[in-house]
Amino acid sequence: MGGSARARWVAVGLGIVGLLCAVLGVVMILVMPSLIKQQVLKNVRIDPSSLSFGMWKEIPVPFYLSVYFFEVVNPNEVLKGEKPIVRERGPYVYREFRHKANITFNDNDTVSFVEHRSLHFQPDRSHGSESDYIVLPNILVLGGAVMMEDKSAGLKLMMTLGLATMGQRAFMNRTVGEILWGYEDPFVNFINKYFPDMFPIKGKFGLFVEMNNSDSGLFTVFTGVQNFSKIHLVDRWNGLSKINYWHSEQCNMINGTSGQMWAPFMTPQYSLEFFSPEACRSMKLTYHDSGVFEGIPIYRFTAPKTLFANGSVYPPNEGFCPCLESGIQNVSTCRFGAPLFLSHPHFYNADPVLSEAVLGLNPDPKEHSLFLDIHPVTGIPMNCSVKLQLSLYIKSVKGIGQTGKIEPVVLPLLWFEQSGAMGGEPLNTFYTQLVLMPQVLHYVQYVLLGLGGLLLLVPILYQLRSQGPKDTMSPPNLIAWSDQPSSPYTPLLEDSLSGQSASAIA
């Protein structure tokens, strides 16, 4: 085989390879988005065969609960009617472990489960120990006084005498461990002994006593296996399709997910909605901006100013009232009637009147706002920081001597942050399978298309080169003329030419 033929076959071979690459690239461009979508749907649904099932069942992300207390610096002056002064103490940090149990797949495309959690103190991350003493309002005394405000004078007198007999005062000095995880209180024991159905608290009294070695109730959520449109949405909580704490249908609705995963393929128009048993309500976060976390693209969602707004500022929240100033939510209906309020830390995003009524508060959006960073393609959280504050409404109640001359004020008790960020092996697996591989395939399809186009040019260029322009100075016509056969007119033509030549010479 000659060199020319070999070159031609090489050019044809490269052209065929180029055609195959181009076709494969086009097919990938047309088909790959659908394949990636199918893989994502397969791996984020709640199914034992999905990639995220293990992550859903036992959260591999290290979660931490950080608690900050507002210690009352001037309790005696507050009893005299002066403005409270508080000093922030903490953080007191706990590692939070969560795992789901009693997982039951139902026939209607839902799964039921309870999520157990336990908290373990982390001295190396804390600023102080659980044995630190802190001065706080006595919730049983001051909260109980507000609850008794409309009762008869006789009951108020009995309460005053009973509290005095048991040494109960308006402010208490107890350890961090007692405040959070409970302490034996003689007043609680007295009520439970002689009025067993009057008080909902049995045993120890503590602000977070129900958060440790416990669960948040029975959740039933949609798996997304049969109906993707409802993936991760809560169907029921403790058997209820709606709660009954509030005064409107909208406020009692159980909306969104259980707060751990959301539907994939988010857009900036998406709202992050979830039901929180601790807050006794559904909450909605809104898109803030996009960014990158450890190489993974994320959408950041934050709380809108309307989250804890009162009914006069944001009418849909009217069902959460009775309300005080905007920016705090009355949670007394789901906290045994105690005048407790939920808000952002330091009354961030609330009516300035609230923070101005207590000295020592400094609302700061950087320090006190909450956020969730979600991978928009999968709906899986990458990084989160949820910050909330618990406050107690206190005032002087006529007929209950322990309340002194306290001016009405919403006094912060503590604020806490629940935070967690994906890292280590779970992050590497997530990045490789759900971020890196789709990106590689995305670029490969265009590389194949471009390479195929270049290789297709090889046989075309070879063909053009092999059929290049001919040399116009070559004598093919003369050769062809001399080879023509003779005709009867040839001698005459030759004589004529000879005569013309002779004349020219002469």
Side-chain angles (χ1 to χ4, degrees), residues 216-239:
S216 297
L218 179 66
F219 275 94
T220 300
V221 304
F222 288 95
T223 66
V225 174
Q226 299 175 20
N227 185 358
F228 162 70
S229 65
K230 292 184 177 181
I231 188 170
H232 298 306
L233 294 179
V234 176
D235 179 40
R236 292 179 178 275
W237 174 70
N238 283 340

Side-chain angles (χ1 to χ4, degrees), residues 21-318:
C21 288
V23 170
L24 182 58
V26 171
V27 170
M28 288 182 69
I29 291 173
L30 296 175
V31 177
M32 193 56 63
S34 177
L35 290 178
I36 292 176
K37 182 176 181 179
Q38 291 301 319
Q39 283 300 308
V40 170
L41 294 179
K42 179 182 178 181
N43 285 312
V44 300
R45 64 190 185 181
I46 304 175
D47 184 83
S49 64
S50 72
L51 179 66
S52 62
F53 183 76
M55 184 186 304
W56 172 83
K57 182 179 179 181
E58 189 163 352
I59 299 175
V61 176
F63 268 90
Y64 293 94
L65 173 69
S66 303
V67 184
Y68 300 80
F69 292 93
F70 292 102
E71 182 172 45
V72 180
V73 177
N74 62 336
N76 294 328
E77 287 74 16
V78 173
L79 282 168
K80 297 175 183 178
E82 295 185 20
K83 184 180 291 188
I85 302 174
V86 297
R87 177 178 59 198
E88 188 175 278
R89 298 275 302 273
Y92 298 90
V93 183
Y94 298 81
R95 173 71 190 274
E96 187 172 353
F97 295 90
R98 301 182 183 185
H99 71 277
K100 293 179 176 63
N102 301 336
I103 300 174
T104 305
F105 287 90
N106 306 310
D107 295 332
N108 62 341
D109 196 31
T110 63
V111 59
S112 300
F113 62 89
V114 293
E115 185 173 67
H116 291 289
R117 61 188 173 193
S118 60
L119 295 158
H120 302 272
F121 186 63
Q122 306 290 298
D124 57 321
R125 290 175 171 263
S126 302
H127 190 68
S129 70
E130 286 190 302
S131 59
D132 290 349
Y133 277 88
I134 296 179
V135 177
L136 286 181
N138 189 330
I139 299 175
L140 294 173
V141 174
L142 295 180
V146 172
M147 295 168 65
M148 293 285 290
E149 185 174 18
D150 297 327
K151 302 298 182 182
S152 67
L155 285 176
K156 291 179 184 178
L157 179 61
M158 288 179 59
M159 181 175 180
T160 299
L161 294 175
L163 291 173
T165 302
M166 289 177 279
Q168 296 285 341
R169 298 183 177 182
F171 292 89
M172 62 182 186
N173 187 18
R174 292 194 175 273
T175 67
V176 169
E178 289 175 329
I179 295 168
L180 293 179
W181 314 120
Y183 55 90
E184 294 289 345
D185 190 279
F187 180 64
V188 173
N189 294 336
F190 174 81
I191 294 295
N192 286 332
K193 181 177 181 179
Y194 295 101
F195 306 95
D197 298 325
M198 180 179 176
F199 212 55
I201 299 172
K202 310 296 180 185
K204 290 185 176 182
F205 173 78
L207 291 177
F208 286 180
V209 69
E210 296 181 351
M211 287 183 62
N212 198 10
N213 299 316
S214 61
D215 60 75
S216 297
L218 179 66
F219 275 94
T220 300
V221 304
F222 288 95
T223 66
V225 174
Q226 299 175 20
N227 185 358
F228 162 70
S229 65
K230 292 184 177 181
I231 188 170
H232 298 306
L233 294 179
V234 176
D235 179 40
R236 292 179 178 275
W237 174 70
N238 283 340
L240 303 172
S241 58
K242 63 179 182 179
I243 53 180
N244 58 2
Y245 298 126
W246 313 112
H247 311 297
S248 72
E249 189 76 18
Q250 181 175 351
C251 292
N252 279 321
M253 292 176 66
I254 297 177
N255 297 325
T257 73
S258 60
Q260 295 173 354
M261 294 177 69
W262 284 266
F265 309 113
M266 293 179 175
T267 67
Q269 289 72 41
Y270 193 90
S271 294
L272 214 61
E273 210 163 5
F274 59 96
F275 175 71
S276 170
E278 290 74 23
C280 309
R281 58 169 289 188
S282 298
M283 305 176 81
K284 181 187 290 187
L285 307 184
T286 55
Y287 173 84
H288 184 266
D289 60 9
S290 59
V292 176
F293 173 78
E294 300 292 346
I296 298 173
I298 55 94
Y299 283 172
R300 171 160 291 190
F301 292 86
T302 58
K305 290 185 177 181
T306 56
L307 183 63
F308 296 123
N310 63 20
S312 60
V313 173
Y314 186 61
N317 282 354
E318 185 66 38

Side-chain angles (χ1 to χ4, degrees), residues 85 90 119 126 135 153 224 239 258 311 327 331 333 347 358 405 433 438 504:
I85 302 174
L119 295 158
S126 302
V135 177
S258 60
V331 293
T333 55
F347 296 124
V358 180
K405 298 179 180 179
Q433 299 196 23

Side-chain angles (χ1 to χ4, degrees), residues 319-372:
F320 294 123
C321 293
C323 301
L324 295 179
E325 290 82 4
S326 189
I328 57 175
Q329 181 190 327
N330 187 340
V331 293
S332 60
T333 55
C334 70
R335 288 293 178 264
F336 318 120
L340 293 168
F341 288 80
L342 202 62
S343 69
H344 296 294
H346 288 246
F347 296 124
Y348 167 68
N349 260 355
D351 191 322
V353 170
L354 293 163
S355 58
E356 292 169 359
V358 180
L359 297 178
L361 301 180
N362 299 287
D364 184 349
K366 184 177 180 181
E367 296 292 329
H368 304 135
S369 61
L370 63 84
F371 70 84
L372 269 73

